[in-house]
Amino acid sequence: MCACDRSVALIRVKYTGESAQQARQALDLLPEALAPIPAPAHPAQIRLEARVFLSLLEDRNCFTRFPLGILSVQPAPDEITLQVESVDRAVEILFGLLPTAPPDGELHGIPGLRVVKRRRTAIELRILGQPARLRLSGLPHSLWREAEQTMLKKWIDPDAMQLCWRTSRNAWTAAEREHFSQWEDDSDPFVQVQQRGAWLGSGLLRRVALLHTVANTFFADGYRGSASGLTRLVVRSSHVRDQGPGPHHIAAALLDPVFGLPLRLTRFRGDTDQRYGSDQHFVLTDPDKSALLDLRASVERPPSRIAPELWQSILRRLPSHGFTNDFSPGFLAGLCGANAS
């Protein structure tokens, strides 16, 4: 492999968290026309990944060593693999994704999603009838089983809820079909807006390691909102003061023309002097005005409920270098002014 190829692989690692060897192998399998971090080949895969990213943001009930509890991601044109940090985080992720339905209430999870394969260290999930695939890895087979059982004991009463992914393994349940027709009808204007902007959530999921590879992030969450006919994603991140590169490196990486997303910075708030470590707020939009990313970064002390040993492990894994030294907060502020003019 030439030095140029090795350089591309090492940059990809910053976005995905893969090992250098994994990145090189993935790049070797990609057609030359595709970007180093490829977009999904099918709209159904884009929509699934957008839902998964939103679930990761919204379902945060425990602190983890890595933001969102994801060590790395392996994006391919027809699938995506997430390496999960721990059993506790796997429990939360499965609870957010697997569809369950109360007798008289709203479906929880992603309709039609099923566990279709169980591997030695991973499980594979698909939406029935769609070419959309997600693989969760990082735990032995037995621990994935344990995570499912813990989820049921902790948050779900099997006697009061229909476990769609278990009771109907090969077909959508009536509750799932009803939910889909009510909330995901392609003719609904709101659904159309969300589908147009689903590429943003998918693109962020495929670059989720940026939170911990180029910035001193120790926690992240967020939510989806609406803004003037476009998809709006709010990502809130907590950062360690005076240790490692700051949150502006995340914005810089997302603006990279080769590895980033088709976004431009349209608003920036915060002190442009990095020495003060103040909170920073970035708003990025795409030229087609289909999506808006609202990045809200706060410099914070760790909450008292973080165990000391966990906090020390977070400090040990903080990166020493950011994305690039060329994108300072002051440069980003000037770039924002240029885009706004």
Side-chain angles (χ1 to χ4, degrees):
M1 177 176 286
C2 69
C4 177
D5 292 335
R6 286 195 296 271
S7 175
V8 171
L10 291 176
I11 296 174
R12 172 171 158 139
V13 165
K14 291 183 178 293
Y15 288 80
T16 64
E18 301 164 292
S19 68
Q21 181 180 7
Q22 287 174 324
R24 289 195 296 267
Q25 291 173 343
L27 290 168
D28 288 341
L29 295 174
L30 290 178
E32 290 187 8
L34 293 184
I37 301 178
H42 196 279
Q45 184 71 30
I46 295 176
R47 292 193 291 269
L48 172 61
E49 292 178 15
R51 291 285 299 271
V52 172
F53 183 70
L54 184 62
S55 181
L56 291 178
L57 288 178
E58 291 183 333
D59 296 320
R60 294 306 318 275
N61 294 293
C62 65
F63 283 93
T64 50
R65 186 178 176 218
F66 294 85
L68 302 182
I70 302 298
L71 281 75
S72 66
V73 56
Q74 292 179 275
D78 59 346
E79 67 177 16
I80 191 167
T81 300
L82 303 180
Q83 185 178 1
V84 179
E85 175 181 334
S86 64
V87 175
D88 287 344
R89 190 63 181 122
V91 170
E92 290 192 320
I93 291 172
L94 291 176
F95 175 69
L97 297 181
L98 294 175
T100 58
D104 299 303
E106 187 174 337
L107 183 89
H108 178 81
I110 299 178
L113 190 67
R114 300 292 187 270
V115 179
V116 296
K117 289 183 181 178
R118 297 181 183 274
R119 305 176 184 272
R120 187 170 59 87
T121 59
I123 59 173
E124 185 175 305
L125 300 95
R126 293 190 182 186
I127 295 182
L128 297 175
Q130 296 183 12
R133 182 166 56 181
L134 166 70
R135 185 174 293 132
L136 300 176
S137 70
L139 300 175
H141 171 81
S142 60
L143 291 186
W144 282 112
R145 291 281 192 184
E146 179 182 318
E148 284 186 48
Q149 293 302 319
T150 302
M151 176 190 68
L152 294 176
K153 294 177 182 177
K154 191 173 182 179
W155 285 311
I156 299 175
D157 180 1
D159 297 327
M161 299 280 284
Q162 181 183 13
L163 309 180
C164 304
W165 87 95
R166 282 189 171 184
T167 60
S168 183
R169 297 180 185 274
N170 300 313
W172 287 45
T173 65
E176 290 173 298
R177 291 194 299 270
E178 181 180 355
H179 176 91
F180 190 86
S181 64
Q182 182 177 0
W183 298 106
E184 302 186 40
D185 181 2
D186 290 347
S187 64
D188 183 272
F190 177 79
V191 173
Q192 292 174 358
V193 168
Q194 298 305 322
Q195 289 184 354
R196 278 189 67 224
W199 63 268
L200 177 58
S202 170
L204 291 172
L205 184 67
R206 288 174 170 246
R207 294 159 177 81
V208 73
L210 285 175
L211 288 170
H212 66 260
T213 61
V214 304
N216 56 0
T217 316
F218 70 86
F219 184 80
D221 66 2
Y223 57 91
R224 184 178 69 182
S226 59
S228 303
L230 49 77
T231 297
R232 175 171 172 257
L233 276 177
V234 178
V235 178
R236 301 176 298 201
S237 56
S238 300
H239 298 264
V240 182
R241 184 182 296 277
D242 298 328
Q243 294 197 52
H248 65 279
H249 289 278
I250 299 173
L254 292 175
L255 293 171
D256 184 82
V258 176
F259 291 86
L261 292 170
L263 295 168
R264 63 180 185 177
L265 185 64
T266 55
R267 188 177 186 183
F268 169 79
R269 285 185 176 179
D271 199 309
T272 57
D273 191 332
Q274 299 180 61
R275 293 172 298 177
Y276 290 101
S278 64
D279 297 349
Q280 295 177 338
H281 182 196
F282 309 89
V283 175
L284 302 95
T285 57
D286 72 300
D288 294 334
K289 297 188 181 342
S290 64
L292 180 152
L293 176 59
D294 190 333
L295 292 176
R296 303 178 183 183
S298 300
V299 177
E300 300 175 340
R301 293 185 179 276
S304 58
R305 62 183 182 277
I306 294 186
E309 59 273 17
L310 174 58
W311 181 244
Q312 289 303 313
S313 71
I314 290 173
L315 294 179
R316 286 194 296 270
R317 68 105 181 110
L318 292 180
S320 57
H321 302 287
F323 177 69
T324 172
N325 292 327
D326 296 334
F327 284 78
S328 67
F331 181 89
L332 289 173
L335 183 63
C336 177
N339 286 333
S341 60

